[in-house]
Amino acid sequence: MISSPVQAPRSEPDPYPSLLERLLAHYPETPEAEERLSELQALMSSARPRAPLAERMAWLEELARWLRTRGATPSRRGRLGAVESSGSARLRLLVEVLAEVPSWCEKLRGVVASVLAETSALRLFTEPGLSAGRSLLGDAVARLGCRLVPPAPDEHDLAPLVWRLFPGEEGEVWLDELSEEHVVALCALLRSPSFSPLKAAVEDAVVVLATRASALGLESDVLARLPPGPLECSPFVRLPRACEALRVAVRADPEGFAVEQAREACAEALSGCRTAVQGVLRHMDAHAVGTELVYRLEQLGHALDRLEPLLWFLAPDRTQALPGAATRLLSCLVHAHEQERSVMGVFRSSVRCISRRIFEHTGEVGRHYITTTQDEYHQMVSAAAGGGLLTASTAAFKLLIAFAALPLFFEGLAAATNYALGFLLIQLLGFTLATKQPSMTAAALAASMDVKAGDKGMHSLVEQLACITRSQLASVFGNLGAVVATVTLVGVVLQSLRGQPLLDVKEAEYVVRSLHPLKSGTLLFAALTGVLLWCSSICGGWLENWVHYRRLPEALARHQALVGLLGGARARGLGEALARHACGLGANVSLGLLLGMTPAVCRFFGLSLDVRHVTLSAGTLSFAGVTLGPERLVEPDFLWAVLGIALVGVVNLAVSFSLGLSAAVRARGLAPVGFLRLACAVLAGGLRSLSSFIFPPQPLLPVHRPSSPYGVRSAERPRPSRQGTQGEDCSSRTH
């Protein structure tokens, strides 16, 4: 008997011949769904966990580029589309597809785990935004060098791969838009053992950052600005010890009680370090600022900010929150890397801190130039007249130097010396030069430029602006009146004694032509002079800050040679005088050098630039007027020159004041008041408000003190006697 063969059961045909069709069955039949899934299939099919490292990195870059690409992303059938970003939607699609296709998930897990195992993440956690022990200038040079010559690629460093995966601001925005739910799901699919190399890198980064922060906090100039105490109690000494104790406790028992104690010790040490940094910054605000110290404190703050989340990753109190926290940290790292590529960004915080201190110094000096009473106004006019009197001699020497045909360098040096000596003499005698005031009074005004001040604050701002304007006009009128009168008198006397004026006719005509506002570069030169005036105020504030930062008054008071030569009291007085006059000394000397050397340097490079200082130009024009005689003073060319002097004064003051105000407002971090709003506030006060910008305040009438504390009587009507009043009352009642 022949047995019949056993027939195999008939299998049902696969309704989805391909993997792509099986995936498409879960999504709407749209061209977008087919395109996205086709792209993802091509990517996941090309994944090779055993490929060379460079090939695996290139594949991860392609996957990240697909995730960041904008475009419509389908949702699963039967589900409403969530409100999500384009990048987050693509991450959702990737998670859904990996859950459906385990082989693809295994490939992605293998690529990620192998790349993390073969690369180091230490620089990723410790370098972005943090200087590796370099100074401010050294870090700037290093950044410039990286921009010009990119560093050699290191295949086993994870940081360059991360910067390529999430490039610049685009990558940072994409990371910020990710849904934490999708990130958690992706990490669950990849499994925690894949990320074990990152945990070892976190431990190493904690050691590096704690040691670096401790070294920065134990610098001598930092300790000198902290309250005295034993070094053992310093938080910068306790910080690396606490971090090491936490690392040891986590390795011994991640869930033990010792971890909680070590975590609290680290938090306390971090808080103490931040408090110490704030204390040093407050000390600098109160005394003086050093850009190098500010930069190191900024780096110390960044190191503490980076160390805190890494300590949390080392010993998390909520394990389920790790993926979301890791995404936020990665976004911060990408942002820090993008910021550190800027060469000017390295100076931003340090320069802002010292510029604020400089403008505070200049603002304190500028308050002395603001008059609020009639007596102060008259004193300002007198001081300005004295400054104009001395400026006449400076203008005379300026003309002698200009027409002496000296070599270019020596001409500039002689002019700079002439200006500097004249300005210093004006300061030492207590006189005033109008053009030095705007940049300093602008710094004093900057503190009031706050749009949140309201109507009351605007009224106070208008009053302060009126005081500044009339004080400036008083100084200008005093300078010009005195210099014109003095130069005219000196010119007439010299002409009578020598038989000839200080200038000949050709030189005088050249002076008149050079001041024509339309046929010469007078207004351009006046604007340049306004910039130089503002620069001189910055130099003055910088010198005062430097004198206090280096503690030069104390050094001079204790200098043995100086004490032996002058005596202790005089050496101490010299130091106090230097601290008191440092701002004026720096401003005057720098202004003299700038006014004298700028034309010489410009002519050396073939630029026909000059300076136009209103007081000095008025003096030179007065000397030219003495030479030309009274009949030439009413000619059009001379009148145009007089108009040019007036415009030079306006441009000098406007440019210097606007630059000083803008820089001071930015240094203080204030929001400037709009010009239209300020003009409306000025016009709202009417004619009386406008007149206060020009004329000095009128003194108040004396008010007689009332004899009775319960009655207030007018100061204009005499108070009748009590007896007479009673008599009148009695008589009236009698009649």
Side-chain angles (χ1 to χ4, degrees):
M1 181 176 180
I2 301 175
S3 61
S4 62
V6 179
Q7 295 182 353
R10 302 174 66 183
S11 60
E12 296 293 332
D14 188 358
Y16 308 112
S18 66
L19 181 59
L20 178 60
E21 292 183 2
R22 182 159 62 90
L23 293 174
L24 285 173
H26 298 285
Y27 294 92
E29 297 179 0
T30 60
E32 291 82 5
E34 184 175 358
E35 181 181 1
R36 299 293 173 268
L37 292 174
S38 298
E39 294 170 352
L40 188 56
Q41 182 187 26
L43 271 173
M44 301 309 299
S45 300
S46 61
R48 297 172 55 197
R50 299 181 181 277
L53 180 60
E55 185 177 336
R56 281 173 279 156
M57 288 182 171
W59 183 85
L60 287 176
E61 290 182 46
E62 293 181 9
L63 179 62
R65 193 177 302 112
W66 179 84
L67 289 171
R68 296 194 318 269
T69 303
R70 302 290 177 177
T73 303
S75 300
R76 293 180 70 93
R77 292 181 184 269
R79 295 184 184 179
L80 296 176
V83 180
E84 55 188 356
S85 65
S86 176
S88 186
R90 292 208 171 197
L91 181 61
R92 170 185 53 78
L93 179 62
L94 175 64
V95 170
E96 293 172 351
V97 169
L98 291 179
E100 292 288 336
V101 187
S103 60
W104 288 1
C105 183
E106 189 66 29
K107 285 185 177 182
L108 178 61
R109 186 186 305 127
V111 172
V112 172
S114 61
V115 169
L116 292 180
E118 297 178 28
T119 57
S120 172
L122 181 61
R123 287 190 57 218
L124 175 65
F125 295 136
T126 59
E127 290 298 322
L130 301 177
S131 172
R134 293 186 294 264
S135 62
L136 175 63
L137 184 60
D139 201 6
V141 172
R143 292 189 182 190
L144 181 61
C146 290
R147 294 293 296 271
L148 297 177
V149 182
D154 185 1
E155 192 179 57
H156 296 280
D157 186 7
L158 185 62
L161 174 62
V162 173
W163 312 145
R164 295 195 300 270
L165 295 178
F166 313 105
E169 186 177 356
E170 177 191 353
E172 180 186 355
V173 171
W174 183 79
L175 288 169
D176 292 336
E177 292 177 349
L178 290 182
S179 171
E180 187 171 352
E181 177 186 358
H182 303 329
V183 175
V184 171
L186 179 62
C187 292
L189 290 173
L190 296 179
R191 299 175 186 174
S192 57
S194 302
F195 303 104
S196 56
L198 293 180
K199 185 177 181 180
V202 167
E203 292 185 4
D204 295 340
V206 165
V207 174
V208 172
L209 291 175
T211 305
R212 189 178 299 173
S214 176
L216 290 172
L218 294 177
E219 292 283 350
S220 59
D221 49 0
V222 176
L223 295 177
R225 290 164 175 81
L226 291 175
L231 194 62
E232 185 70 20
C233 298
S234 172
F236 298 108
V237 174
R238 292 187 281 110
L239 179 63
R241 297 177 180 177
C243 294
E244 180 62 23
L246 178 62
R247 192 165 71 98
V248 172
V250 169
R251 286 186 173 183
D253 184 9
E255 304 295 334
F257 181 70
V259 173
E260 183 65 27
Q261 289 182 327
R263 189 189 291 118
E264 293 179 358
C266 290
E268 183 180 353
L270 284 171
S271 177
C273 291
R274 289 195 173 97
T275 303
V277 170
Q278 293 300 320
V280 176
L281 290 174
R282 285 194 298 269
H283 183 279
M284 285 195 294
D285 286 339
H287 296 85
V289 176
T291 54
E292 188 68 36
L293 179 56
V294 171
Y295 179 70
R296 282 190 277 115
L297 290 177
E298 182 185 14
Q299 292 296 311
L300 175 57
H302 291 336
L304 296 176
D305 293 339
R306 183 73 51 77
L307 181 60
E308 187 171 11
L310 292 179
L311 287 171
W312 187 87
F313 280 110
L314 185 62
D317 52 1
R318 290 175 290 112
T319 308
Q320 66 275 11
L322 276 173
T327 305
R328 290 189 292 273
L329 176 62
L330 187 58
S331 175
C332 293
L333 294 175
V334 172
H335 176 75
H337 173 69
E338 185 66 19
Q339 291 296 318
E340 75 173 358
R341 296 178 68 247
S342 171
V343 179
M344 295 304 299
V346 71
F347 296 100
R348 189 171 293 118
S349 298
S350 301
V351 171
R352 185 187 300 116
C353 189
I354 193 172
S355 61
R356 176 172 181 172
R357 186 59 188 166
I358 287 174
F359 288 119
E360 286 179 356
H361 282 310
T362 55
E364 293 173 2
V365 176
R367 292 186 185 96
H368 296 89
Y369 294 126
I370 302 175
T371 62
T372 56
T373 64
Q374 195 173 50
D375 292 338
E376 293 178 352
Y377 182 87
H378 293 156
Q379 292 175 5
M380 177 63 69
V381 174
S382 301
L389 181 66
L390 294 178
T391 308
S393 61
T394 305
F397 284 111
K398 171 193 173 184
L399 291 174
L400 294 176
I401 294 171
F403 294 110
L406 296 175
L408 193 58
F409 172 78
F410 292 102
E411 178 183 346
L413 183 61
T417 305
N418 176 40
Y419 293 144
L421 291 178
F423 297 152
L424 285 175
L425 189 59
I426 289 174
Q427 179 191 1
L428 293 177
L429 295 179
F431 296 149
T432 300
L433 194 63
T435 51
K436 289 180 6 182
Q437 297 180 11
S439 55
M440 297 183 178
T441 55
L445 181 66
S448 304
M449 305 293 285
D450 190 356
V451 296
K452 299 180 180 178
D455 295 336
K456 184 177 179 180
M458 286 298 298
H459 179 69
S460 175
L461 175 62
V462 171
E463 288 184 351
Q464 189 176 6
L465 188 59
C467 293
I468 292 175
T469 304
R470 65 170 175 260
S471 303
Q472 188 66 67
L473 292 177
S475 183
V476 170
F477 293 150
N479 280 164
L480 295 182
V483 74
V484 171
T486 304
V487 167
T488 302
L489 179 61
V490 171
V492 171
V493 171
L494 286 177
Q495 188 170 0
S496 62
L497 293 178
R498 298 174 55 196
Q500 59 181 3
L502 181 66
L503 301 178
D504 57 29
V505 177
K506 291 184 178 180
E507 293 172 345
E509 291 176 348
Y510 171 78
V511 170
V512 173
R513 289 195 306 271
S514 65
L515 293 174
H516 196 288
L518 302 179
K519 298 180 179 179
S520 66
T522 292
L523 299 183
L524 174 63
F525 302 156
L528 174 62
T529 306
V531 176
L532 300 181
L533 291 167
W534 172 68
C535 292
S536 68
S537 69
I538 295 179
C539 293
W542 175 86
L543 180 62
E544 183 168 1
N545 177 79
W546 184 81
V547 166
H548 288 285
Y549 183 77
R550 296 296 180 183
R551 302 172 65 183
L552 287 187
E554 300 178 19
L556 292 178
R558 299 180 182 180
H559 195 279
Q560 295 182 358
L562 193 61
V563 170
L565 181 63
L566 301 178
R570 292 182 178 178
R572 187 166 52 254
L574 179 61
E576 294 175 355
L578 177 61
R580 191 167 53 252
H581 299 289
C583 184
L585 179 65
N588 289 320
V589 173
S590 62
L591 180 58
L593 289 173
L594 289 172
L595 292 179
M597 295 301 296
T598 298
V601 173
C602 290
R603 277 187 286 166
F604 176 80
F605 288 102
L607 302 175
S608 58
L609 293 179
D610 205 346
V611 293
R612 289 291 184 270
H613 188 278
V614 58
T615 311
L616 294 171
S617 298
T620 56
L621 184 62
S622 300
F623 276 117
V626 172
T627 300
L628 296 176
E631 65 281 357
R632 300 281 298 273
L633 301 184
V634 294
E635 292 184 354
D637 289 341
F638 195 87
L639 295 178
W640 275 110
V642 172
L643 178 61
I645 293 293
L647 295 178
V648 164
V650 172
V651 174
N652 281 166
L653 302 180
V655 171
S656 178
F657 186 84
S658 60
L659 289 176
L661 184 61
S662 175
V665 166
R666 290 187 179 184
R668 291 176 179 268
L670 300 175
V673 177
F675 176 78
L676 182 60
R677 183 182 178 189
L678 185 60
C680 292
V682 172
L683 294 177
L687 184 61
R688 183 177 180 182
S689 176
L690 294 176
S691 64
S692 64
F693 282 74
I694 302 175
F695 302 107
Q698 298 298 323
L700 299 175
L701 293 175
V703 179
H704 297 286
R705 188 183 186 124
S707 59
S708 172
Y710 303 103
V712 178
R713 296 186 176 271
S714 173
E716 298 179 357
R717 282 191 310 180
R719 182 179 179 182
S721 63
R722 186 177 182 85
Q723 184 176 5
T725 305
Q726 290 176 352
E728 292 175 1
D729 292 342
C730 291
S731 61
S732 61
R733 284 197 296 268
T734 302
H735 291 289

